[in-house]
Amino acid sequence: MRKLLLISLIFLAFTIQAFSKDRFCFVQLASFKSLKVAEKLFEDVKTNEPVYILKFKEIYGVRVGPFENFKICKLQREKLKNDLRKYRIEPIMILSSHSIPPSNYIIKEKTSKTKSYKEEKRRVEPKRIGKISREKEKKDASSLVYLYIEKAKVCMGKKDCTNAVRYLKLAIAKGGENPKLYTYLGYAYTHLGRYTKALNAFKKALKIDPNYAEAYAGIGFLYLKLNSPKAAVIAFRRAHNLNPKEISYSVNLAISLLGSGNIDEAILEFQKLKNKYPFLPEIYYNEAVAYLKKGYFKKAIGDFEIFLELTKANKFYEDYRKEVLKVLNQIKLILKSKNEH
């Protein structure tokens, strides 16, 4: 009975979890109760990447990034720790759904390009007198599309998918036939539960570009939401074949294999992924689920413990951490019961 309860609990968490492409890796250097201390660390950070002071409740955190992948993020974390060793900090890696932290959290920010950008702007300003060129109009339209996309992402991060759809439609009106925009629209409709419109948006993206991998990934995500993992396997496999370097396709393919009952194949995929991306929590979480389904409780414990280590101090995973801690207690009860008999 305990074993069945354990499997049902963790499978519930698994069906909610889907790895999104739109995740960005930051290095969180440290958090302080004093803004002055945070500002001192902020000023001492020497890097070409953006640096932020973020305020959450009464805590001030210094964050660097984003970095293009987890390997670079890890290397930068060690470099920053060494460069700032006088502070005796232990930087951690943070996953975020935003390439830029939400503006309501930002207290200060700096980039290496800020100064040169302002100087360049002053230098070219006199040349802008006169009629607006067609090239500038295109550039302005492109900037507007980018702005709408970023606003849509922020809305998605706040689970305000209705406004996300609104911004994406505005972006499509300005950006024209762009498979990326229709794919984003498909994701927004998926989160709203408007699955027919979501599928139509993804199909529209593929009509524009039949080899647009992210649209296939969107269809796979849609099928995971509909609890149709076999169909998701087909979609994610196609996305993975079109772009084997994209980590989210590989992870979601493995998740779909697990959900469709191909547990051994899923475990093999998770093991390959661990070798390539050893700091990605989703891999350990879902491989642990696979081990539970096979009855390999000790291996599941090992993966769950690594998951907890990788996600500490990261609020994005807070609900999953609570669920994992409950499951670990149940596993220990099962193993204790087996030993007693």
Side-chain angles (χ1 to χ4, degrees):
M1 181 64 184
R2 282 177 180 169
K3 182 175 177 180
L4 287 174
L5 178 61
L6 171 68
I7 298 300
S8 64
L9 273 173
I10 196 64
F11 188 74
L12 174 63
F14 153 69
T15 56
I16 297 171
Q17 177 71 20
F19 188 84
S20 169
K21 181 181 178 184
D22 295 319
R23 296 278 185 82
F24 302 90
C25 188
F26 293 82
V27 173
Q28 184 86 1
L29 291 176
S31 298
F32 307 96
K33 290 184 178 180
S34 166
L35 176 58
K36 287 185 179 179
V37 178
E39 286 177 327
K40 190 173 186 333
L41 175 59
F42 174 84
E43 294 301 331
D44 283 347
V45 176
K46 308 301 180 188
T47 177
N48 292 326
E49 303 299 328
V51 186
Y52 302 93
I53 296 180
L54 307 177
K55 183 180 180 182
F56 181 75
K57 295 185 178 179
E58 299 304 317
I59 301 297
Y60 300 92
V62 181
R63 182 177 294 187
V64 182
F67 299 96
E68 61 181 271
N69 60 51
F70 290 92
K71 185 176 180 180
I72 292 174
C73 192
K74 180 192 174 187
L75 291 172
Q76 288 298 313
R77 178 185 63 176
E78 296 305 315
K79 182 180 183 302
L80 289 163
K81 178 182 176 181
N82 185 58
D83 292 347
L84 301 163
R85 56 184 176 275
K86 68 178 181 179
Y87 287 94
R88 297 182 180 180
I89 56 176
E90 286 293 334
I92 61 173
M93 294 194 295
I94 296 288
L95 286 177
S96 173
S97 298
H98 308 296
S99 57
I100 300 171
S103 58
N104 55 313
Y105 292 142
I106 296 175
I107 302 297
K108 272 190 175 183
E109 62 180 294
K110 66 177 179 179
T111 69
S112 62
K113 297 179 181 178
T114 303
K115 184 178 178 181
S116 61
Y117 170 76
K118 288 180 179 177
E119 289 174 350
E120 179 69 16
K121 187 176 180 182
R122 285 196 296 270
R123 190 168 67 247
V124 302
E125 197 65 37
K127 298 179 183 178
R128 294 185 180 182
I129 299 172
K131 292 184 179 181
I132 298 174
S133 67
R134 188 172 298 176
E135 184 178 342
K136 184 176 184 300
E137 287 179 349
K138 288 182 180 178
K139 186 176 180 181
D140 288 345
S142 177
S143 298
L144 199 56
V145 169
Y146 176 79
L147 177 64
Y148 287 142
I149 291 173
E150 288 302 305
K151 284 189 173 184
K153 285 183 179 180
V154 171
C155 289
M156 292 281 281
K158 294 179 179 178
K159 298 183 180 179
D160 181 10
C161 295
T162 300
N163 277 319
V165 167
R166 182 169 65 87
Y167 283 123
L168 288 167
K169 285 183 175 180
L170 289 170
I172 289 169
K174 287 287 183 182
E177 299 292 282
N178 187 327
K180 179 179 180 180
L181 297 178
Y182 282 102
T183 299
Y184 279 136
L185 184 62
Y187 278 117
Y189 276 134
T190 299
H191 285 291
L192 282 171
R194 300 168 74 175
Y195 301 126
T196 301
K197 287 195 172 185
L199 187 58
N200 288 338
F202 292 132
K203 286 182 176 179
K204 177 69 174 178
L206 290 171
K207 187 176 180 181
I208 299 167
D209 182 358
N211 293 319
Y212 192 62
E214 184 60 23
Y216 284 108
I219 292 171
F221 179 71
L222 170 63
Y223 282 129
L224 279 181
K225 293 281 283 186
L226 292 171
N227 198 23
S228 300
K230 289 183 179 179
V233 167
I234 296 170
F236 282 123
R237 203 183 294 279
R238 182 67 186 274
H240 174 71
N241 290 339
L242 286 168
N243 186 3
K245 293 182 179 180
E246 174 52 52
I247 179 175
S248 64
Y249 305 160
S250 304
V251 174
N252 277 325
L253 173 59
I255 290 173
S256 303
L257 287 166
L258 175 58
S260 64
N262 297 315
I263 301 173
D264 291 331
E265 189 179 354
I267 289 173
L268 285 175
E269 290 298 322
F270 286 129
Q271 288 173 347
K272 291 177 189 175
L273 287 165
K274 282 198 300 186
N275 292 330
K276 287 184 179 179
Y277 312 103
F279 296 97
L280 190 59
E282 279 83 354
I283 298 171
Y284 296 93
Y285 178 94
N286 287 289
E287 186 183 50
V289 175
Y291 282 138
L292 285 179
K293 287 177 173 291
K294 297 288 287 186
Y296 302 155
F297 296 118
K298 290 183 179 179
K299 288 184 176 181
I301 288 174
D303 274 347
F304 278 139
E305 287 177 345
I306 295 173
F307 171 82
L308 291 172
E309 178 65 23
L310 290 174
T311 57
K312 63 184 179 182
N314 190 334
K315 283 193 166 290
F316 181 87
Y317 294 98
E318 190 172 341
D319 290 339
Y320 292 102
R321 288 175 59 83
K322 289 177 183 178
E323 193 64 49
V324 166
L325 289 169
K326 289 179 185 177
V327 171
L328 281 174
N329 287 333
Q330 291 183 342
I331 293 175
K332 289 172 184 177
L333 287 173
I334 293 169
L335 293 177
K336 183 179 178 182
S337 177
K338 282 186 174 182
N339 290 335
E340 288 174 354
H341 290 85

